[in-house]
Amino acid sequence: MPKKIIAGQEEQINEIIERICEIAGKPLPSGSVIGMIGKVIHMREIGTDEITVRKQISGVTGIGFNDLRIDEIIFEIEEQ
């Protein structure tokens, strides 16, 4: 992959991480957030139920399972 594409992808991932931390209202470990993003994308691709996706995000971010911020995070991951 050309370096410009890789740099663009890294920048995009960093923006998503920053946005997720903003939504959570606290700093989160980048590695955990990157892993969560990958898992959520995979879960969506294989049709995992919404409850399991929400539990994954809740577990990493510490946001309550029914908190509307979970929906914001899902939106950020899916849109980016």
Side-chain angles (χ1 to χ4, degrees):
M1 234 183 236
K3 288 183 180 181
K4 284 187 178 183
I5 292 174
I6 293 171
Q9 289 174 339
E10 287 177 5
E11 184 176 318
Q12 187 177 25
I13 290 169
N14 287 334
E15 288 175 10
I16 295 170
I17 292 169
E18 287 177 24
R19 182 67 183 125
I20 289 172
C21 290
E22 286 175 16
I23 293 168
K26 60 184 174 185
L28 299 166
S30 295
S32 296
V33 175
I34 291 169
M36 177 194 72
I37 292 168
K39 284 181 184 177
V40 169
I41 290 169
H42 178 71
M43 286 189 222
R44 291 301 219 187
E45 288 174 348
I46 63 171
T48 303
D49 63 280
E50 187 74 16
I51 293 170
T52 304
V53 174
R54 294 179 74 84
K55 284 180 181 178
Q56 173 66 35
I57 295 170
S58 178
V60 172
T61 63
I63 296 172
F65 175 78
N66 291 315
D67 193 312
L68 293 176
R69 293 180 292 171
I70 298 279
D71 297 320
E72 291 181 57
I73 291 172
I74 291 171
F75 176 80
E76 286 297 322
I77 293 170
E78 290 179 347
E79 290 301 309
Q80 299 297 330

